[in-house]
Amino acid sequence: MAKPDFAAADRLRVLLQGGASVRLLSEAAGAGIRLRRVRPGKDGCTADLLGRDLPDLLRRAEKRQVSVRILRRTGPGRLAARVWRRPGVWLGAVLFCVLVWLLSGYVWRIDFGALEAKQASAVRTLLQQSGVWEGARLRGETLQAVQDQLAAQPELFGWVSLNFAGGCLFVESTPMESQQIRTTTPETALYAAADAEVVAVKVESGFAQVAPGQYVAEGQLLANALRADRDGDPVYQPASGSVTGRVRLRLSAEQAYQTEQTVLTGRSARQSTLYLLGLEIPLEETETPFEQAAVQEEWRPLGVGQIALPGCLHVRQLWEQASRVQTFSLAAAEAMAQRACVRQLLADWPDARIEQQSFVFEHNGNGVVCRAEFVFCADIATAGTMQPLPDPTAE
């Protein structure tokens, strides 16, 4: 393979010395050699030319016995010649470009942006199910499929997009914004959900039928959507709002001394898998997996300092679980039965503010029965169909 002439791209300034230097310049100009900035001097003539014209000028100068001395050389010729003499340099550069092109198709890093930990974990799970993690080779159809799955979950994001560039997978999203719209119909009225003493009336719409301090029975009308004006004509206005009442409620719950529960046995196992450049390398594997286990997964991206690598370590921690008969002491059974009563109250009345509570326990051979009595304040208004106006002609 012939050595390339790297000096052809250089720009030269030469000094021509000899009696025939002026004739040489004229001959060179006639032969197509581009000479610029020709200046006569005490030592001879100086001129600028391209490196590709230097061999022709030297041949003509030798015939006319004119010496040619290079005063200045600028351009990439010398550096290119040095690089050519060291093939490892340019071969390494070519190999680097090829590797960058090949490795850019692998996921080096996943940027979850401003996602919260819970949202990032949900996105990580969907990516894992689709085979996308650090070190996996990402394809366009896979990326679009994962994005469609994320877009189908409006409870997590308002808007979400996945963009892959330069080995980094960007998860861009906007937070979910929800607006509660309360719909009412002209026939909506409010009724009491339990026997109570009215503490406060906050009817936003409709016509209140009760006042604070009044006692109401379950099912009694609290606010109607209809009333008569001065002329006796009906006026419609859907009822909405809240009526706070003081309620007295009795509940009961039973807790057995012995129950079958799923508990941890104390045995654990660990599974580790290294994903690197599309390869799956098991590092730790459980020989006898548990029939029932609690699992915790962790994804650890690989990197050297702040430099990400196209791989990650997937660690699964397993804790064996088994069904065991658990025996509770008398005090523990009473506490659990009491807690069950409170949870039952809050399940039926989430906004309850407990003012008084009392608990009575009955013991039998199998467990404890807790009988609780609560006095609490809560919104007792529930929507229903409005009541018509009384007939003035009826006796």
Side-chain angles (χ1 to χ4, degrees):
M1 180 177 180
K3 178 182 177 181
D5 185 10
F6 298 105
D10 290 346
R11 290 183 177 274
L12 307 175
R13 186 165 184 79
V14 297
L15 174 63
L16 305 179
Q17 294 177 325
S21 58
V22 176
R23 292 184 179 180
L24 176 63
L25 292 175
S26 300
E27 182 182 350
I33 299 177
R34 298 182 180 180
L35 299 173
R36 298 179 181 179
R37 300 177 61 185
V38 179
R39 297 287 189 274
K42 296 180 181 180
D43 299 332
C45 296
T46 59
D48 293 347
L49 73 159
L50 296 177
R52 66 189 180 191
D53 296 329
L54 180 61
D56 192 7
L57 181 65
L58 291 176
R59 287 195 300 269
R60 296 178 185 276
E62 185 179 359
K63 293 180 181 179
R64 295 191 175 274
Q65 296 182 354
V66 176
S67 66
V68 179
R69 184 159 60 95
I70 300 176
L71 300 178
R72 185 177 59 195
R73 180 191 294 268
T74 58
R78 293 182 178 178
L79 179 61
R82 291 179 182 178
V83 174
W84 180 263
R85 289 194 298 267
R86 298 180 179 180
V89 176
W90 55 271
L91 287 177
V94 173
L95 180 60
F96 173 78
C97 295
V98 172
L99 288 178
V100 169
W101 178 76
L102 291 176
L103 298 181
S104 61
Y106 292 91
V107 180
W108 290 58
R109 180 172 175 265
I110 300 178
D111 186 353
F112 293 98
L115 293 182
E116 299 179 355
K118 181 179 179 181
Q119 294 176 321
S121 178
V123 174
R124 169 71 80 173
T125 301
L126 287 176
L127 292 175
Q128 173 194 354
Q129 293 173 355
S130 301
V132 179
W133 45 70
E134 292 87 345
R137 188 168 184 83
L138 191 58
R139 294 175 174 82
E141 56 273 14
T142 303
L143 186 63
Q144 185 61 43
V146 176
Q147 181 168 327
D148 294 341
Q149 293 181 19
L150 292 175
Q153 300 188 14
E155 69 278 2
L156 293 178
F157 315 100
W159 170 86
V160 63
S161 175
L162 298 180
N163 298 305
F164 182 65
C168 183
L169 178 61
F170 298 92
V171 182
E172 301 176 353
S173 65
T174 57
M176 177 186 60
E177 296 181 0
S178 60
Q179 181 178 5
Q180 184 177 4
I181 301 177
R182 181 169 51 194
T183 59
T184 58
T185 62
E187 297 80 14
T188 301
L190 299 179
Y191 294 87
D195 299 341
E197 176 189 359
V198 178
V199 175
V201 178
K202 297 181 180 179
V203 177
E204 300 172 357
S205 177
F207 310 103
Q209 305 294 316
V210 295
Q214 181 179 345
Y215 287 88
V216 295
E218 181 179 357
Q220 182 175 335
L221 180 66
L222 302 178
N224 201 8
L226 178 65
R227 77 171 182 180
D229 60 8
R230 294 180 179 180
D231 299 330
D233 297 327
V235 177
Y236 294 92
Q237 189 178 79
S240 63
S242 64
V243 177
T244 304
R246 181 174 288 109
V247 183
R248 183 180 296 272
L249 184 65
R250 293 182 175 87
L251 298 172
S252 64
E254 183 177 0
Q255 175 61 47
Y257 291 131
Q258 291 184 341
T259 59
E260 185 174 352
Q261 295 184 351
T262 301
V263 297
L264 298 175
T265 64
R267 297 177 58 194
S268 63
R270 180 185 177 97
Q271 297 176 340
S272 299
T273 305
L274 176 64
Y275 295 96
L276 183 65
L277 294 176
L279 301 177
E280 182 177 342
I281 306 173
L283 301 181
E284 298 180 58
E285 188 70 28
T286 304
E287 297 181 356
T288 55
F290 307 129
E291 295 182 359
Q292 186 177 3
V295 181
Q296 181 181 358
E297 293 186 321
E298 183 180 3
W299 293 85
R300 302 175 184 174
L302 301 181
V304 179
Q306 298 297 324
I307 302 176
L309 297 178
C312 65
L313 181 64
H314 180 210
V315 179
R316 297 180 74 245
Q317 189 72 38
L318 299 90
W319 290 273
E320 186 183 24
Q321 294 179 329
S323 297
R324 297 285 188 273
V325 176
Q326 189 170 4
T327 302
F328 300 101
S329 64
L330 178 61
E334 290 180 351
M336 296 180 67
Q338 178 179 332
R339 185 182 64 175
C341 290
V342 176
R343 294 179 63 180
Q344 183 179 348
L345 168 67
L346 296 179
D348 297 335
W349 303 88
D351 61 336
R353 300 187 301 275
I354 300 176
E355 296 180 344
Q356 299 177 14
Q357 59 183 3
S358 61
F359 304 95
V360 178
F361 300 97
E362 298 178 0
H363 306 279
N364 53 43
N366 297 325
V368 175
V369 178
C370 176
R371 303 190 184 279
E373 183 173 350
F374 299 97
V375 177
F376 61 93
C377 291
D379 182 12
I380 62 172
T382 181
T385 306
M386 72 174 186
Q387 292 188 6
L389 294 175
D391 188 0
T393 60
E395 298 182 355

